Amino acid sequence: GSNVVNEYDIVIEEGVESPISVEEIEADCNLVLSEEGVERPCTVSISIVSDAEIQQVNFEWRGKNAPTDVISLEVERPNDPDLAPSEMCELGDIILAPNFIARQAKEYGTTEADEFRLMLVHAMLHLLGYDHIEDDEAEVMEAREDALVALLSTDRTIEPVVLTRHREGIDE
């Protein structure tokens, strides 16, 4: 329920600016967790970094030597049977690169802040076990993204683009 208190460790790299406030990041993540019916408190580490830094993480974890928009690294799932009933779930890490996201926003006609919100929701869903490798899974994930983003206060530039987006990526 809504009385669950989640914990966030949010680090912003020096010289990097987050397009939305730390308070909003936490509120958006809390909304995803409550809407997804997560009953136990979770901890999430969120790093807001330069393109150079995310490129390093991308290479280290995915073997891709290029910057990207967001990387999510899962640790635990809230429904893990190994967790005691009141034990906190360490969901994992989200790394976001706002400069990369800003360039992507121009491409998709979203504002920088909205693109960042969308990537945050996308990453949170990944940590909860959603995926978009398979078409049918992608559709489920997109539907959740659409529904969740609709509940956030945004600049209202996201709605028309979300649905077509992953599908183009999948078909390439």
Side-chain angles (χ1 to χ4, degrees):
S2 51
N3 54 352
V4 172
V5 179
N6 302 300
E7 286 178 19
Y8 300 95
D9 179 20
I10 300 176
V11 177
I12 303 176
E13 189 183 321
E14 204 174 324
V16 175
E17 272 182 56
S18 175
I20 64 175
S21 69
V22 165
E23 291 74 21
E24 189 181 341
I25 290 172
E26 295 191 0
D28 290 356
C29 292
N30 283 334
L31 181 109
V32 172
L33 291 169
S34 72
E35 288 293 322
E36 285 295 307
V38 175
E39 298 278 312
R40 75 168 66 245
C42 294
T43 60
V44 185
S45 296
I46 298 171
S47 305
I48 297 165
V49 303
S50 63
D51 285 9
E53 177 63 25
I54 207 164
Q55 177 165 344
Q56 215 174 329
V57 176
N58 203 16
F59 184 61
E60 211 173 294
W61 288 91
R62 294 176 170 168
K64 294 181 181 169
N65 197 8
T68 187
D69 45 13
V70 62
I71 294 173
S72 28
L73 305 170
E74 285 181 49
V75 180
E76 293 175 324
R77 297 266 172 88
N79 55 2
D80 187 329
D82 294 337
L83 293 171
S86 58
E87 198 181 339
M88 284 198 94
C89 166
E90 190 190 338
L91 262 189
D93 296 88
I94 296 173
I95 302 107
L96 294 134
N99 294 341
F100 190 99
I101 289 169
R103 292 196 300 277
Q104 189 162 280
K106 285 196 183 74
E107 216 177 295
Y108 287 119
T110 50
T111 64
E112 192 179 333
D114 273 0
E115 190 68 21
F116 189 90
R117 292 177 181 110
L118 177 59
M119 293 302 113
L120 184 62
V121 168
H122 182 78
M124 285 294 292
L125 289 176
H126 268 307
L127 295 186
L128 291 169
Y130 286 83
D131 213 332
H132 52 82
I133 306 295
E134 302 295 331
D135 274 353
D136 53 345
E137 289 182 347
E139 287 181 23
V140 172
M141 186 169 186
E142 283 161 23
R144 289 308 298 146
E145 268 169 43
D146 279 350
L148 291 164
V149 165
L151 297 174
L152 303 182
S153 51
T154 67
D155 304 330
R156 297 275 164 240
T157 62
I158 300 175
E159 283 73 20
V161 296
V162 178
L163 277 173
T164 54
R165 190 179 294 194
H166 296 311
R167 241 159 255 158
E168 288 163 9
I170 289 166
D171 296 337
E172 275 164 18

